[in-house]
Amino acid sequence: MSEVELAAQLNVAAQTRLGRSLALFCAQAADCGGCTLELAALRGPLYRLRQLGLGFVATPLQADVLLVTGAVTRALAEPLHRAWEAMADPKWVIAVGACAIDGGPFRGEYPVLGGVSEVMPLDAVVPGCPPSPTAILGAMTALLAANA
Amino acid sequence: VIQVDTRLGYAHRGILRLMREKTPAEAAGLAARLSASTVANGLAFARAVEAATGIEPPPRAIAIRLVLLDLERVALGLHDLAETLDASGRDPARVRRTREDLLRACEAAFGHRLLMDLVVPGGIARDLSPEAARAVAAPLERLKLPGVAGFDSLRASVATLLTRPRTLPEGALSAAVPITIGEGLGQSEGGRGTHFHWVQVRDGRILQAFARDPAWLAWPRFQSAMEGRMLADLPVLAAGLSVAGVDG
């Protein structure tokens, strides 16, 4: 087998494998803490993240998916955009909860720009105040299925 | 770490300004989203409105509010314990499982895992049935908390939850909030410390509001606790710190 063939085979295997796992990074915008609590609950043993190929990482540099919680304030627009820029392609963004979707109850208030789509392209939303871990998981498995 | 300076304000949503001109019922939804202690915030705000308008919630509402407060204190305590175990390299799975069982019991009993919007000015928004009252604390029956100082209040909340829901007084769930002029201060003891809310009401609307979240004290405490520590201690010492509670 030639080196080129080997590399191609490795590439296919890597794509199959990597396509079936997602590294998640939580970016907390102006979040009261409710959505963050439910994202933390997702780490509990009942949700079997590891078995589903999902895991949290410590920086956006390592992440495939950015999970944003909370309203996007003017002060957080740039840091959030930088987190998104730091991620390698291909990458996805999920707005978790009413505030991240469009600012929620704080929409239109002077410090608030609105939802996540104000500062980066958005791939999925999970409505709720806060959404349950099951709902968040549903959005991620849908993303996995669409991109595997 | 030589010194820690925190720069806050990035999560400022303008909650207190947004509460102005709202009815107490509308503003309660905002107060409940000041920080993660949603019951404690909602309760301190409701007590402030009740003090401002000179009313007392019915006995059943008072009793169920305390059940809600204890449930939140225990759920938050288990969350902070799990994060601390995780950050110090120990297995948090058992604590997370107990917390998840508790949140599911809360959803079954009250329709919301985190008990949001159940405390309203004048009383509570939803009753607790005798069956749900028995079931809600069941996940805590086998809970074993670490035998160290600092868990005393959590232990007390667990003990109360295992007895109080069975002895709830009968009666109404809420009292009407009168249209009047006044100001009042409300206080509650949440999982992360004492919450204060202050309101001025006029003609059935909030004129001004103010809130002091326990995070106000937690940040300076965190700063001085970090001094002289290794940077690797940060996740343990930062467990439970709220940005939104300070930023408002």
Side-chain angles (χ1 to χ4, degrees):
Chain A
M1 196 182 286
S2 76
E3 282 173 57
V4 178
E5 280 170 331
L6 255 177
Q9 209 167 45
L10 204 68
N11 197 20
V12 171
Q15 284 212 341
T16 320
R17 295 255 163 82
L18 290 176
R20 291 187 184 285
S21 87
L22 290 175
L24 317 169
F25 180 77
C26 299
Q28 206 176 344
D31 165 11
C32 72
C35 291
T36 300
L37 281 178
E38 290 298 50
L39 278 168
L42 200 52
R43 295 173 134 119
L46 290 177
Y47 294 101
R48 300 168 199 273
L49 281 197
R50 198 181 292 250
Q51 290 89 327
L52 291 169
L54 301 171
F56 289 94
V57 291
T59 75
L61 285 166
Q62 307 159 282
D64 306 306
V65 180
L66 193 63
L67 296 163
V68 188
T69 58
V72 176
T73 59
R74 291 173 205 284
L76 281 169
E78 194 188 327
L80 280 172
H81 188 74
R82 276 198 221 162
W84 178 76
E85 276 185 332
M87 294 166 69
D89 281 316
K91 57 190 171 186
W92 297 275
V93 178
I94 304 180
V96 177
C99 292
I101 292 173
D102 63 2
F106 311 109
R107 183 170 47 165
E109 193 57 7
Y110 68 97
V112 176
L113 263 186
V116 176
S117 63
E118 299 287 336
V119 287
M120 63 184 84
L122 189 58
D123 298 286
V125 299
V126 195
C129 184
S132 67
T134 310
I136 301 169
L137 202 57
M140 286 190 286
T141 46
L143 207 59
L144 251 173
N147 296 285
Chain B
V1 175
I2 315 275
Q3 192 185 335
V4 178
D5 283 316
T6 46
R7 289 190 187 178
L8 298 164
Y10 290 92
H12 177 57
R13 297 152 290 172
I15 278 200
L16 298 174
R17 199 187 93 142
L18 203 53
M19 281 159 75
R20 293 185 200 163
E21 299 302 314
K22 301 274 193 299
T23 65
E26 291 165 348
L30 296 166
R33 283 156 183 80
L34 181 65
S35 64
S37 302
T38 178
V39 174
N41 272 303
L43 185 53
F45 176 79
R47 285 172 171 167
V49 171
E50 288 150 13
T53 55
I55 57 163
E56 178 101 353
R60 185 169 179 82
I62 292 175
I64 293 179
R65 281 175 168 190
L66 294 178
V67 172
L68 293 168
L69 194 60
D70 271 322
L71 284 168
E72 175 172 270
R73 276 203 288 250
V74 172
L76 267 179
L78 294 178
H79 168 78
D80 292 347
L81 176 59
E83 295 306 300
T84 306
L85 288 171
D86 201 19
S88 50
R90 288 191 280 170
D91 185 11
R94 189 183 290 270
V95 178
R96 284 185 175 149
R97 173 62 200 266
T98 305
R99 177 167 187 270
E100 181 64 26
D101 289 343
L102 184 65
L103 297 192
R104 290 181 182 192
C106 286
E107 185 173 33
F110 292 104
H112 198 288
R113 287 166 53 91
L114 303 182
L115 310 170
M116 268 183 180
D117 302 321
L118 291 163
V119 177
V120 293
I124 49 167
R126 197 174 155 140
D127 203 5
L128 180 64
S129 72
E131 305 80 57
R134 271 191 297 276
V136 75
L140 300 174
E141 268 160 17
R142 289 182 309 277
L143 177 66
K144 293 226 174 18
L145 288 168
V148 291
F151 289 99
D152 296 345
S153 68
L154 190 56
R155 234 187 301 277
S157 285
V158 170
T160 316
L161 274 175
L162 290 171
T163 53
R164 191 190 280 135
R166 287 162 206 179
T167 55
L168 295 171
E170 294 299 321
L173 296 181
S174 66
V177 178
I179 310 287
T180 177
I181 300 175
E183 68 171 68
L185 182 69
Q187 181 185 339
S188 72
E189 201 57 34
R192 288 166 181 173
T194 311
H195 295 252
F196 293 101
H197 278 255
W198 171 88
V199 288
Q200 233 175 22
V201 293
R202 190 173 67 193
D203 305 332
R205 301 273 162 180
I206 306 292
L207 205 59
Q208 287 192 80
F210 191 74
R212 206 247 26 202
D213 194 271
W216 282 35
L217 309 181
W219 281 98
R221 201 163 52 216
F222 163 72
Q223 286 181 192
S224 62
M226 274 305 291
E227 280 172 23
R229 298 257 184 179
M230 304 298 290
L231 197 55
D233 293 334
L234 192 143
V236 175
L237 290 170
L241 273 179
S242 167
V243 177
V246 175
D247 286 353

